[in-house]
PDB file of all heavy atoms in Angstrom:
ATOM      1  N   SER H   1       0.834  -1.166  -0.056  1.00 96.00           N
ATOM      2  CA  SER H   1       0.005   0.004   0.012  1.00 96.00           C
ATOM      3  C   SER H   1       0.826   1.269   0.036  1.00 96.00           C
ATOM      4  O   SER H   1       0.733   2.213  -0.867  1.00 96.00           O
ATOM      5  CB  SER H   1      -0.964   0.042   1.247  1.00 96.00           C
ATOM      6  OG  SER H   1      -1.671   1.194   1.257  1.00 96.00           O
ATOM      7  N   GLN H   2       1.765   1.353   0.982  1.00 96.00           N
ATOM      8  CA  GLN H   2       2.563   2.515   1.076  1.00 96.00           C
ATOM      9  C   GLN H   2       3.536   2.751  -0.141  1.00 96.00           C
ATOM     10  O   GLN H   2       3.529   3.872  -0.663  1.00 96.00           O
ATOM     11  CB  GLN H   2       3.490   2.348   2.342  1.00 96.00           C
ATOM     12  CG  GLN H   2       4.400   3.583   2.529  1.00 96.00           C
ATOM     13  CD  GLN H   2       5.183   3.436   3.806  1.00 96.00           C
ATOM     14  OE1 GLN H   2       5.054   2.431   4.561  1.00 96.00           O
ATOM     15  NE2 GLN H   2       6.215   4.268   3.956  1.00 96.00           N
ATOM     16  N   TYR H   3       4.303   1.701  -0.606  1.00 96.00           N
ATOM     17  CA  TYR H   3       5.155   1.979  -1.616  1.00 96.00           C
ATOM     18  C   TYR H   3       4.511   2.031  -3.018  1.00 96.00           C
ATOM     19  O   TYR H   3       5.014   2.661  -3.866  1.00 96.00           O
ATOM     20  CB  TYR H   3       6.235   0.865  -1.607  1.00 96.00           C
ATOM     21  CG  TYR H   3       7.253   0.828  -0.331  1.00 96.00           C
ATOM     22  CD1 TYR H   3       7.311  -0.270   0.372  1.00 96.00           C
ATOM     23  CD2 TYR H   3       7.666   2.007   0.123  1.00 96.00           C
ATOM     24  CE1 TYR H   3       8.150  -0.219   1.535  1.00 96.00           C
ATOM     25  CE2 TYR H   3       8.371   2.155   1.242  1.00 96.00           C
ATOM     26  CZ  TYR H   3       8.589   0.963   1.942  1.00 96.00           C
ATOM     27  OH  TYR H   3       9.460   0.958   3.072  1.00 96.00           O
ATOM     28  N   GLY H   4       3.409   1.348  -3.123  1.00 96.00           N
ATOM     29  CA  GLY H   4       2.702   1.468  -4.366  1.00 96.00           C
ATOM     30  C   GLY H   4       2.199   2.944  -4.581  1.00 96.00           C
ATOM     31  O   GLY H   4       2.243   3.452  -5.684  1.00 96.00           O
ATOM     32  N   LEU H   5       1.657   3.505  -3.531  1.00 96.00           N
ATOM     33  CA  LEU H   5       1.307   4.934  -3.625  1.00 96.00           C
ATOM     34  C   LEU H   5       2.544   5.795  -3.909  1.00 96.00           C
ATOM     35  O   LEU H   5       2.525   6.673  -4.829  1.00 96.00           O
ATOM     36  CB  LEU H   5       0.801   5.434  -2.330  1.00 96.00           C
ATOM     37  CG  LEU H   5       0.215   6.824  -2.317  1.00 96.00           C
ATOM     38  CD1 LEU H   5      -0.801   7.189  -3.262  1.00 96.00           C
ATOM     39  CD2 LEU H   5      -0.397   7.135  -0.853  1.00 96.00           C
ATOM     40  N   GLU H   6       3.685   5.605  -3.103  1.00 97.00           N
ATOM     41  CA  GLU H   6       4.898   6.317  -3.319  1.00 97.00           C
ATOM     42  C   GLU H   6       5.424   6.262  -4.781  1.00 97.00           C
ATOM     43  O   GLU H   6       5.910   7.287  -5.302  1.00 97.00           O
ATOM     44  CB  GLU H   6       5.972   5.936  -2.384  1.00 97.00           C
ATOM     45  CG  GLU H   6       7.094   6.804  -2.291  1.00 97.00           C
ATOM     46  CD  GLU H   6       8.051   6.179  -1.201  1.00 97.00           C
ATOM     47  OE1 GLU H   6       7.557   5.905  -0.086  1.00 97.00           O
ATOM     48  OE2 GLU H   6       9.286   6.347  -1.397  1.00 97.00           O
ATOM     49  N   TRP H   7       5.436   5.009  -5.337  1.00 96.00           N
ATOM     50  CA  TRP H   7       6.112   4.787  -6.593  1.00 96.00           C
ATOM     51  C   TRP H   7       5.180   4.803  -7.731  1.00 96.00           C
ATOM     52  O   TRP H   7       5.587   4.581  -8.911  1.00 96.00           O
ATOM     53  CB  TRP H   7       6.741   3.374  -6.556  1.00 96.00           C
ATOM     54  CG  TRP H   7       7.829   3.161  -5.530  1.00 96.00           C
ATOM     55  CD1 TRP H   7       8.691   4.194  -4.930  1.00 96.00           C
ATOM     56  CD2 TRP H   7       8.306   1.958  -4.827  1.00 96.00           C
ATOM     57  NE1 TRP H   7       9.408   3.681  -4.049  1.00 96.00           N
ATOM     58  CE2 TRP H   7       9.303   2.349  -3.939  1.00 96.00           C
ATOM     59  CE3 TRP H   7       7.872   0.627  -4.963  1.00 96.00           C
ATOM     60  CZ2 TRP H   7       9.878   1.311  -3.173  1.00 96.00           C
ATOM     61  CZ3 TRP H   7       8.382  -0.242  -4.140  1.00 96.00           C
ATOM     62  CH2 TRP H   7       9.397   0.086  -3.285  1.00 96.00           C
ATOM     63  N   GLY H   8       3.826   5.085  -7.558  1.00 97.00           N
ATOM     64  CA  GLY H   8       2.971   5.031  -8.616  1.00 97.00           C
ATOM     65  C   GLY H   8       2.641   3.712  -9.120  1.00 97.00           C
ATOM     66  O   GLY H   8       2.400   3.630 -10.493  1.00 97.00           O
ATOM     67  N   ARG H   9       2.610   2.649  -8.414  1.00 97.00           N
ATOM     68  CA  ARG H   9       2.457   1.353  -8.840  1.00 97.00           C
ATOM     69  C   ARG H   9       1.172   0.719  -8.026  1.00 97.00           C
ATOM     70  O   ARG H   9       0.667   1.334  -7.064  1.00 97.00           O
ATOM     71  CB  ARG H   9       3.597   0.404  -8.492  1.00 97.00           C
ATOM     72  CG  ARG H   9       4.856   0.818  -9.133  1.00 97.00           C
ATOM     73  CD  ARG H   9       5.978  -0.074  -8.815  1.00 97.00           C
ATOM     74  NE  ARG H   9       7.221   0.293  -9.423  1.00 97.00           N
ATOM     75  CZ  ARG H   9       8.328  -0.373  -9.307  1.00 97.00           C
ATOM     76  NH1 ARG H   9       8.451  -1.380  -8.504  1.00 97.00           N
ATOM     77  NH2 ARG H   9       9.478   0.098  -9.882  1.00 97.00           N
ATOM     78  N   LYS H  10       0.633  -0.404  -8.550  1.00 98.00           N
ATOM     79  CA  LYS H  10      -0.385  -1.021  -7.921  1.00 98.00           C
ATOM     80  C   LYS H  10       0.021  -2.516  -7.670  1.00 98.00           C
ATOM     81  O   LYS H  10       0.421  -3.210  -8.604  1.00 98.00           O
ATOM     82  CB  LYS H  10      -1.721  -1.034  -8.748  1.00 98.00           C
ATOM     83  CG  LYS H  10      -2.833  -1.673  -7.945  1.00 98.00           C
ATOM     84  CD  LYS H  10      -4.091  -1.612  -8.727  1.00 98.00           C
ATOM     85  CE  LYS H  10      -5.190  -2.273  -7.836  1.00 98.00           C
ATOM     86  NZ  LYS H  10      -6.470  -2.494  -8.540  1.00 98.00           N
ATOM     87  N   TYR H  11      -0.168  -2.934  -6.499  1.00 98.00           N
ATOM     88  CA  TYR H  11       0.104  -4.257  -6.079  1.00 98.00           C
ATOM     89  C   TYR H  11      -1.242  -4.816  -5.503  1.00 98.00           C
ATOM     90  O   TYR H  11      -2.032  -4.256  -4.834  1.00 98.00           O
ATOM     91  CB  TYR H  11       1.179  -4.315  -4.934  1.00 98.00           C
ATOM     92  CG  TYR H  11       2.498  -3.742  -5.448  1.00 98.00           C
ATOM     93  CD1 TYR H  11       2.910  -2.418  -5.044  1.00 98.00           C
ATOM     94  CD2 TYR H  11       3.390  -4.598  -5.981  1.00 98.00           C
ATOM     95  CE1 TYR H  11       4.153  -2.002  -5.468  1.00 98.00           C
ATOM     96  CE2 TYR H  11       4.640  -4.141  -6.348  1.00 98.00           C
ATOM     97  CZ  TYR H  11       4.989  -2.826  -6.104  1.00 98.00           C
ATOM     98  OH  TYR H  11       6.226  -2.235  -6.440  1.00 98.00           O
ATOM     99  N   SER H  12      -1.426  -6.234  -5.837  1.00 98.00           N
ATOM    100  CA  SER H  12      -2.430  -6.919  -5.202  1.00 98.00           C
ATOM    101  C   SER H  12      -1.957  -8.075  -4.432  1.00 98.00           C
ATOM    102  O   SER H  12      -0.875  -8.538  -4.796  1.00 98.00           O
ATOM    103  CB  SER H  12      -3.543  -7.346  -6.194  1.00 98.00           C
ATOM    104  OG  SER H  12      -2.836  -8.316  -7.103  1.00 98.00           O
ATOM    105  N   THR H  13      -2.679  -8.497  -3.345  1.00 98.00           N
ATOM    106  CA  THR H  13      -2.234  -9.704  -2.506  1.00 98.00           C
ATOM    107  C   THR H  13      -3.305 -10.639  -2.482  1.00 98.00           C
ATOM    108  O   THR H  13      -4.371 -10.377  -2.592  1.00 98.00           O
ATOM    109  CB  THR H  13      -1.721  -9.092  -1.148  1.00 98.00           C
ATOM    110  OG1 THR H  13      -2.911  -8.541  -0.440  1.00 98.00           O
ATOM    111  CG2 THR H  13      -0.748  -8.061  -1.211  1.00 98.00           C
ATOM    112  N   SER H  14      -2.826 -11.827  -2.205  1.00 98.00           N
ATOM    113  CA  SER H  14      -3.713 -12.972  -1.891  1.00 98.00           C
ATOM    114  C   SER H  14      -2.963 -13.944  -0.946  1.00 98.00           C
ATOM    115  O   SER H  14      -1.769 -14.131  -0.977  1.00 98.00           O
ATOM    116  CB  SER H  14      -4.181 -13.729  -3.245  1.00 98.00           C
ATOM    117  OG  SER H  14      -3.022 -14.314  -3.820  1.00 98.00           O
ATOM    118  N   VAL H  15      -3.685 -14.632  -0.236  1.00 98.00           N
ATOM    119  CA  VAL H  15      -3.190 -15.636   0.776  1.00 98.00           C
ATOM    120  C   VAL H  15      -3.454 -17.025   0.341  1.00 98.00           C
ATOM    121  O   VAL H  15      -4.665 -17.336   0.008  1.00 98.00           O
ATOM    122  CB  VAL H  15      -3.789 -15.311   2.176  1.00 98.00           C
ATOM    123  CG1 VAL H  15      -3.305 -16.357   3.295  1.00 98.00           C
ATOM    124  CG2 VAL H  15      -3.408 -13.907   2.698  1.00 98.00           C
ATOM    125  N   ASP H  16      -2.450 -17.859   0.439  1.00 97.00           N
ATOM    126  CA  ASP H  16      -2.615 -19.290   0.234  1.00 97.00           C
ATOM    127  C   ASP H  16      -2.364 -19.948   1.435  1.00 97.00           C
ATOM    128  O   ASP H  16      -1.278 -20.087   1.988  1.00 97.00           O
ATOM    129  CB  ASP H  16      -1.642 -19.781  -0.857  1.00 97.00           C
ATOM    130  CG  ASP H  16      -1.768 -21.235  -1.197  1.00 97.00           C
ATOM    131  OD1 ASP H  16      -2.298 -22.076  -0.333  1.00 97.00           O
ATOM    132  OD2 ASP H  16      -1.561 -21.577  -2.364  1.00 97.00           O
ATOM    133  N   ARG H  17      -3.482 -20.343   2.111  1.00 97.00           N
ATOM    134  CA  ARG H  17      -3.514 -20.975   3.492  1.00 97.00           C
ATOM    135  C   ARG H  17      -2.763 -22.347   3.593  1.00 97.00           C
ATOM    136  O   ARG H  17      -2.042 -22.554   4.445  1.00 97.00           O
ATOM    137  CB  ARG H  17      -4.898 -21.024   3.977  1.00 97.00           C
ATOM    138  CG  ARG H  17      -5.590 -19.699   4.331  1.00 97.00           C
ATOM    139  CD  ARG H  17      -6.989 -19.941   4.810  1.00 97.00           C
ATOM    140  NE  ARG H  17      -7.613 -18.639   5.142  1.00 97.00           N
ATOM    141  CZ  ARG H  17      -7.650 -18.125   6.255  1.00 97.00           C
ATOM    142  NH1 ARG H  17      -7.102 -18.706   7.312  1.00 97.00           N
ATOM    143  NH2 ARG H  17      -8.205 -16.925   6.433  1.00 97.00           N
ATOM    144  N   GLU H  18      -2.961 -23.051   2.538  1.00 97.00           N
ATOM    145  CA  GLU H  18      -2.258 -24.375   2.397  1.00 97.00           C
ATOM    146  C   GLU H  18      -0.771 -24.240   2.334  1.00 97.00           C
ATOM    147  O   GLU H  18      -0.053 -24.900   3.050  1.00 97.00           O
ATOM    148  CB  GLU H  18      -2.747 -25.204   1.301  1.00 97.00           C
ATOM    149  CG  GLU H  18      -4.120 -25.682   1.431  1.00 97.00           C
ATOM    150  CD  GLU H  18      -4.743 -26.428   0.252  1.00 97.00           C
ATOM    151  OE1 GLU H  18      -3.943 -26.979  -0.511  1.00 97.00           O
ATOM    152  OE2 GLU H  18      -5.938 -26.721   0.116  1.00 97.00           O
ATOM    153  N   LYS H  19      -0.283 -23.432   1.527  1.00 97.00           N
ATOM    154  CA  LYS H  19       1.144 -23.147   1.286  1.00 97.00           C
ATOM    155  C   LYS H  19       1.742 -22.224   2.480  1.00 97.00           C
ATOM    156  O   LYS H  19       3.009 -22.107   2.588  1.00 97.00           O
ATOM    157  CB  LYS H  19       1.552 -22.587  -0.064  1.00 97.00           C
ATOM    158  CG  LYS H  19       1.232 -23.589  -1.140  1.00 97.00           C
ATOM    159  CD  LYS H  19       1.474 -22.985  -2.509  1.00 97.00           C
ATOM    160  CE  LYS H  19       2.798 -22.173  -2.759  1.00 97.00           C
ATOM    161  NZ  LYS H  19       2.905 -21.699  -4.134  1.00 97.00           N
ATOM    162  N   ARG H  20       0.853 -21.512   3.180  1.00 97.00           N
ATOM    163  CA  ARG H  20       1.261 -20.617   4.230  1.00 97.00           C
ATOM    164  C   ARG H  20       2.119 -19.358   3.716  1.00 97.00           C
ATOM    165  O   ARG H  20       3.164 -19.094   4.259  1.00 97.00           O
ATOM    166  CB  ARG H  20       1.884 -21.234   5.341  1.00 97.00           C
ATOM    167  CG  ARG H  20       1.224 -22.481   5.894  1.00 97.00           C
ATOM    168  CD  ARG H  20       0.244 -22.324   7.081  1.00 97.00           C
ATOM    169  NE  ARG H  20       0.797 -21.383   8.127  1.00 97.00           N
ATOM    170  CZ  ARG H  20       0.018 -20.545   8.890  1.00 97.00           C
ATOM    171  NH1 ARG H  20      -1.250 -20.456   8.480  1.00 97.00           N
ATOM    172  NH2 ARG H  20       0.585 -19.851   9.730  1.00 97.00           N
ATOM    173  N   VAL H  21       1.619 -18.773   2.593  1.00 97.00           N
ATOM    174  CA  VAL H  21       2.261 -17.676   2.005  1.00 97.00           C
ATOM    175  C   VAL H  21       1.347 -16.612   1.607  1.00 97.00           C
ATOM    176  O   VAL H  21       0.167 -16.849   1.336  1.00 97.00           O
ATOM    177  CB  VAL H  21       3.027 -18.157   0.694  1.00 97.00           C
ATOM    178  CG1 VAL H  21       4.253 -19.146   1.043  1.00 97.00           C
ATOM    179  CG2 VAL H  21       2.160 -18.676  -0.364  1.00 97.00           C
ATOM    180  N   ILE H  22       1.900 -15.432   1.387  1.00 97.00           N
ATOM    181  CA  ILE H  22       1.082 -14.417   0.822  1.00 97.00           C
ATOM    182  C   ILE H  22       1.829 -14.000  -0.583  1.00 97.00           C
ATOM    183  O   ILE H  22       3.031 -13.875  -0.600  1.00 97.00           O
ATOM    184  CB  ILE H  22       1.251 -12.941   1.661  1.00 97.00           C
ATOM    185  CG1 ILE H  22       0.387 -11.974   0.998  1.00 97.00           C
ATOM    186  CG2 ILE H  22       2.527 -12.611   2.097  1.00 97.00           C
ATOM    187  CD1 ILE H  22       0.090 -10.671   1.838  1.00 97.00           C
ATOM    188  N   ALA H  23       0.955 -14.030  -1.630  1.00 98.00           N
ATOM    189  CA  ALA H  23       1.429 -13.800  -2.925  1.00 98.00           C
ATOM    190  C   ALA H  23       1.090 -12.343  -3.326  1.00 98.00           C
ATOM    191  O   ALA H  23       0.008 -11.853  -3.110  1.00 98.00           O
ATOM    192  CB  ALA H  23       0.640 -14.795  -3.835  1.00 98.00           C
ATOM    193  N   VAL H  24       2.119 -11.687  -3.846  1.00 98.00           N
ATOM    194  CA  VAL H  24       1.961 -10.304  -4.297  1.00 98.00           C
ATOM    195  C   VAL H  24       2.129 -10.243  -5.839  1.00 98.00           C
ATOM    196  O   VAL H  24       3.112 -10.798  -6.315  1.00 98.00           O
ATOM    197  CB  VAL H  24       3.115  -9.431  -3.649  1.00 98.00           C
ATOM    198  CG1 VAL H  24       3.040  -7.969  -4.105  1.00 98.00           C
ATOM    199  CG2 VAL H  24       3.022  -9.420  -2.128  1.00 98.00           C
TER     200      VAL H  24
END
């Protein structure tokens, strides 16, 4: 959120509970 705003980019996130990771 913070760096996306600062750098003019958009990031989305999702959570994979089985793999125990957050994907960006």
Side-chain angles (χ1 to χ4, degrees):
S1 177
Q2 179 180 350
Y3 297 131
L5 179 61
E6 184 179 325
W7 300 330
R9 299 178 178 183
K10 182 177 180 186
Y11 297 95
S12 62
T13 62
S14 62
V15 174
D16 185 328
R17 291 175 182 264
E18 289 181 16
K19 289 173 51 179
R20 309 267 315 143
V21 297
I22 177 172
V24 177

